[in-house]
Amino acid sequence: MPAQTDTLLRYRPWRGTLHGPLWSALAMARVSLRLMFRRRLYWGLFALTLLVFFFFFYGQYLVVWITTQVADDTVPVAGMKVPIKDFTRFLDRLALNGTTHTFGNFIWFEGYVVVIVLALAGSVLVGNDFAHGSLPFYLSKPIGRWHYVLGKCLAIGVFVNLATTVPAVLLWIEAGLLFDWRTYYLDNLDLLAGVLGYGLVLTVTLSLMVVATAVWVRRAVPMVMVWMGAFVLLRMLGGWLADILGDERWRLIDLWNDLYLVGMWCLGADPATLRPQPQPAYWEAGLVVGGVCAGCLLYLRRRVQAVEIVN
Amino acid sequence: MTAPLIDLHGITRTFGAHTALHDVTLALPPGRVGVLGPNGAGKSTLLKILMGLIPPSSGTGRVLDQDLGGDRDAAGNWRLRQLIGFMPEADSLVPGLTGIEYVGLAGELYGMPRREAQRRAHEVLSYLELEEARYRRVEEYSTGMKQRAKLAQALVHDPPVLLLDEPTSGLDPAGRDAMLRLIRALGTDHGKSVLLSTHLLADVEAVCERVVILAGGRVRGVGTVAELCSRRQDRYRIRVEGEAAGFRDDLESEGVRVLAETTPGEWRVTVPDGWTNLAFFKLAEINQVVIRALLRDDETLEELFLRTVSS
């Protein structure tokens, strides 16, 4: 039994300095990420985000190399001489040339995987704490309730940035190396700031949404249904309504499009160059994103404050 | 001079129109204290105030020289919670984590540096005889192991105060006995102050030096168990030899109440006001029985509790 003398001798007091609650939030984020990546599914999905990155990375390399090195060369195809640059026409839409739209398009495509991962991860990161009564464990510690939310948001933010901002910054670095690094980096610092801004908007919005929806529905399947509703059904519905009613504001119900618009504003893109057209104004999308964040915060405030630690 | 464990002055806590705690004034030295009370007595509210989870509506107080009250997330309350290791009644495990990760995370949430939290988690789990199971996931633990894991996470930062909410809940008799001996040893051998909140009076008797009895939001009794139980002067344990039935009838006709017959001819009794011991002997002489033993008897904790709560 633990109370026996030989066992008691093993108990040693601990004396040390305790950190403040922000350190605790970091620990919570680290453990949450470990919980998430303990499942192979998430490694598979993360590999998908890397695939998208490598597609853009090598695509950009290929396009720039062809444009600058062998643009006017031709190869014979069925007896006809076809310019090599025609082979990469299908990549034109992605604008793989280190410009605003390169980064906008990259994050847009990464978004599909990110949304799937977050839909699945919500229950692991947050829902289980509510479903299995883990909250008294966290909240009885010397942290505030918002530190709990911060810790979970940090974990989600790390994943979102690993899938979007970090590779986008790598693409920016690559573009500088492919073009003239002496001028590209200095001339395009605003693009780097835009990428970081886009990442910040995604981090804040998506992490708050994940925590709020996971607190609401808790389980993985309903969570996936809610997220698919928000990011797939509303997207389709927004597109149809905008086309049928001829009012581009209907696209505002497509949250991923709103995030894209705010991100493109951060990147300084000309609204006329966005696809599909017409699009709502940047400020309108910003209002929707801000409203979603505020709604999530209000909901979380109500739900997390209501948790009883001592029954 | 050692700071008092709890020093409360006129603590009142209201929730809307409902007063959960009413003018609670309490001073307790460090030691093992049982907090008793029926449902709705205000135990949970008192524990929440002691942990700094909610501020009192009025009144002041200190726990080990740390002020109570203030805002929910104020730094003072974090310091207060760093002094207290809380073992919740609810399962409050984090599914997916191993025992060592769970306890290590608790250490970090209390503010310990990561490396030290890990080292200390190993020590505490070994002390609680969970070293074999420390790499198993906590959701796979038996009830007894879960309780010990919960105690480990409360003990990881070596707090001076342990606040244990129903620590023997769901344990079999052997597990319960082991847990109680362990808690007692933490108090006696390692100088921990223990606040034990439970409905099981036997647990309090086994562990605690002092009890606080709450009912209707007020303190109805406070003191050492021995002192409170011996406060009654109207109880006797009497053993007689001879024809006991007639003697018992005569006792009862004089207003003596027989509480229990431990063996034939041996009773625990309460006497009416104004009773003198001589009356026992007079009635014995009349009934021709010999009084072999007449001892002043104490209340059991259960009797004390029921009497205090119902008064």
Side-chain angles (χ1 to χ4, degrees):
Chain A
M1 286 297 108
Q4 285 168 355
T5 310
D6 62 334
T7 313
L8 288 174
L9 290 175
R10 282 190 258 146
Y11 185 87
R12 284 197 290 272
W14 179 82
R15 291 289 172 271
T17 311
L18 296 173
H19 294 303
L22 281 176
W23 283 88
S24 308
L26 289 176
M28 209 186 306
R30 197 184 61 246
V31 171
S32 300
L33 276 172
R34 192 188 300 163
L35 270 179
M36 192 171 134
F37 281 106
R38 191 160 275 171
R39 300 175 187 215
R40 287 186 193 137
L41 172 69
Y42 295 105
W43 281 107
L45 290 167
F46 186 64
L48 266 184
T49 68
L50 288 180
L51 269 184
V52 176
F53 167 67
F54 284 125
F55 178 80
F56 272 76
F57 187 86
Y58 290 110
Q60 185 165 250
Y61 176 80
L62 182 70
V63 168
V64 173
W65 183 74
I66 287 173
T67 311
T68 56
Q69 304 288 321
V70 292
D72 298 327
D73 290 359
T74 57
V75 288
V77 176
M80 293 166 61
K81 286 187 174 177
V82 180
I84 288 178
K85 63 183 178 189
D86 286 355
F87 285 101
T88 57
R89 280 261 157 82
F90 73 101
L91 293 174
D92 288 353
R93 242 180 108 89
L94 296 177
L96 298 173
N97 50 9
T99 59
T100 302
H101 287 284
T102 310
F103 306 109
N105 290 336
F106 170 71
I107 293 176
W108 173 273
F109 282 106
E110 285 285 33
Y112 289 109
V113 189
V114 169
V115 165
I116 292 169
V117 171
L118 294 184
L120 290 168
S123 66
V124 178
L125 293 176
V126 181
N128 279 351
D129 290 344
F130 281 78
H132 294 94
S134 313
L135 278 176
F137 166 75
Y138 289 108
L139 300 180
S140 61
K141 305 293 181 288
I143 60 170
R145 297 180 186 229
W146 286 112
H147 291 105
Y148 170 80
V149 174
L150 175 67
K152 296 296 177 178
C153 285
L154 273 177
I156 297 158
V158 167
F159 173 76
V160 169
N161 283 290
L162 276 178
T164 56
T165 316
V166 172
V169 170
L170 290 177
L171 285 180
W172 182 81
I173 293 170
E174 184 206 16
L177 295 173
L178 290 173
F179 295 107
D180 184 356
W181 62 270
R182 282 163 298 191
T183 54
Y184 181 86
Y185 291 134
L186 280 178
D187 292 347
N188 292 287
L189 271 177
D190 56 335
L191 273 185
L192 180 64
V195 166
L196 296 177
Y198 197 165
L200 184 68
V201 171
L202 286 177
T203 303
V204 172
T205 313
L206 292 178
S207 54
L208 283 175
M209 277 189 70
V210 172
V211 177
T213 47
V215 168
W216 176 34
V217 296
R218 301 180 185 185
R219 302 277 176 198
V221 174
M223 177 94 188
V224 170
M225 289 165 72
V226 169
W227 271 60
M228 290 305 113
F231 287 102
V232 179
L233 285 181
L234 285 181
R235 172 164 177 70
M236 289 160 64
L237 191 63
W240 286 335
L241 289 170
D243 292 342
I244 293 166
L245 302 173
D247 185 351
E248 72 277 8
R249 283 199 179 85
W250 281 107
R251 289 192 201 283
L252 290 171
I253 65 171
D254 173 5
L255 187 60
W256 193 251
N257 192 59
D258 296 329
L259 286 168
Y260 172 70
L261 289 176
V262 176
M264 294 312 279
W265 173 79
C266 292
L267 287 163
D270 178 2
T273 60
L274 303 179
R275 278 196 301 264
Q277 282 289 342
Q279 285 281 9
Y282 285 147
W283 68 267
E284 290 172 323
L287 270 183
V288 173
V289 170
V292 168
C293 291
C296 290
L297 281 170
L298 286 174
Y299 178 72
L300 284 173
R301 179 184 156 79
R302 196 163 62 86
R303 290 302 301 270
V304 179
Q305 297 284 20
V307 172
E308 285 289 354
I309 299 163
V310 184
N311 290 311
Chain B
M1 203 174 97
T2 315
L5 171 62
I6 296 171
D7 189 14
L8 306 179
H9 297 281
I11 294 281
T12 297
R13 174 68 202 199
T14 54
F15 296 99
H18 172 66
T19 304
L21 278 183
H22 190 91
D23 195 23
V24 170
T25 297
L26 197 57
L28 292 168
R32 304 181 305 281
V33 181
V35 182
L36 299 174
N39 291 334
K43 289 196 306 288
S44 299
T45 307
L46 179 63
L47 297 186
K48 284 179 200 170
I49 288 174
L50 292 178
M51 288 175 70
L53 293 169
I54 54 171
S57 304
S58 65
T60 58
R62 295 167 83 81
V63 174
L64 288 183
D65 256 355
Q66 182 66 49
D67 278 326
L68 295 177
D71 295 331
R72 188 182 282 245
D73 290 344
N77 282 344
W78 297 329
R79 277 197 295 277
L80 178 62
R81 262 179 268 167
Q82 284 175 340
L83 294 175
I84 297 172
F86 177 59
M87 177 181 174
E89 182 187 1
D91 244 4
S92 70
L93 302 169
V94 182
L97 291 186
T98 62
I100 200 78
E101 289 169 337
Y102 174 67
V103 179
L105 173 62
E108 288 190 75
L109 291 176
Y110 277 116
M112 293 173 81
R114 185 182 175 192
R115 213 175 265 274
E116 292 191 44
Q118 287 299 311
R119 187 177 59 77
R120 178 78 184 157
H122 282 280
E123 280 179 17
V124 172
L125 286 172
S126 295
Y127 170 63
L128 297 175
E129 300 207 332
L130 283 173
E131 67 264 52
E132 298 286 324
R134 60 191 156 174
Y135 295 111
R136 275 170 55 192
R137 293 191 177 183
V138 286
E139 65 267 31
E140 296 167 3
Y141 282 9
S142 67
T143 307
M145 292 161 83
K146 282 179 181 172
Q147 291 295 89
R148 276 184 281 162
K150 278 160 52 182
L151 182 59
Q153 62 83 32
L155 205 53
V156 64
H157 64 305
D158 194 27
V161 184
L162 286 170
L163 205 161
L164 312 176
D165 196 3
E166 303 283 0
T168 57
S169 170
L171 295 180
D172 58 30
R176 179 169 161 261
D177 188 46
M179 176 63 83
L180 292 175
R181 277 194 288 138
L182 178 61
I183 296 168
R184 193 179 163 82
L186 285 168
T188 53
D189 300 350
H190 302 293
K192 305 282 173 222
S193 288
V194 177
L195 277 168
L196 178 66
S197 169
T198 180
H199 287 102
L200 301 172
L201 301 178
D203 287 6
V204 174
E205 275 183 313
V207 168
C208 298
E209 303 157 293
R210 288 183 173 74
V211 288
V212 175
I213 301 176
L214 290 168
R218 293 169 193 270
V219 175
R220 297 297 172 97
V222 56
T224 65
V225 178
E227 181 186 293
L228 287 174
C229 290
S230 64
R231 206 169 272 173
R232 294 281 295 256
Q233 300 294 312
D234 61 348
R235 287 176 179 250
Y236 292 90
R237 189 178 289 269
I238 184 168
R239 183 157 55 84
V240 296
E241 201 174 273
E243 184 47 58
F247 177 61
R248 178 175 172 162
D249 290 343
D250 280 0
L251 281 177
E252 287 177 332
S253 66
E254 294 291 331
V256 173
R257 196 154 59 87
V258 177
L259 297 170
E261 185 172 58
T262 46
T263 55
E266 183 172 347
W267 309 299
R268 295 180 61 229
V269 298
T270 57
V271 295
D273 287 345
W275 181 268
T276 60
N277 289 351
L278 199 59
F280 281 121
F281 293 98
K282 280 184 180 167
L283 288 175
E285 195 178 345
I286 293 167
N287 287 281
Q288 295 188 326
V289 297
V290 179
I291 295 178
R292 290 291 181 197
L294 180 64
L295 302 165
R296 196 175 288 283
D297 193 22
D298 293 339
E299 274 183 305
T300 62
L301 186 59
E302 186 176 349
E303 287 166 342
L304 169 74
F305 175 71
L306 290 173
R307 181 173 56 80
T308 309
V309 165
S310 60
S311 64

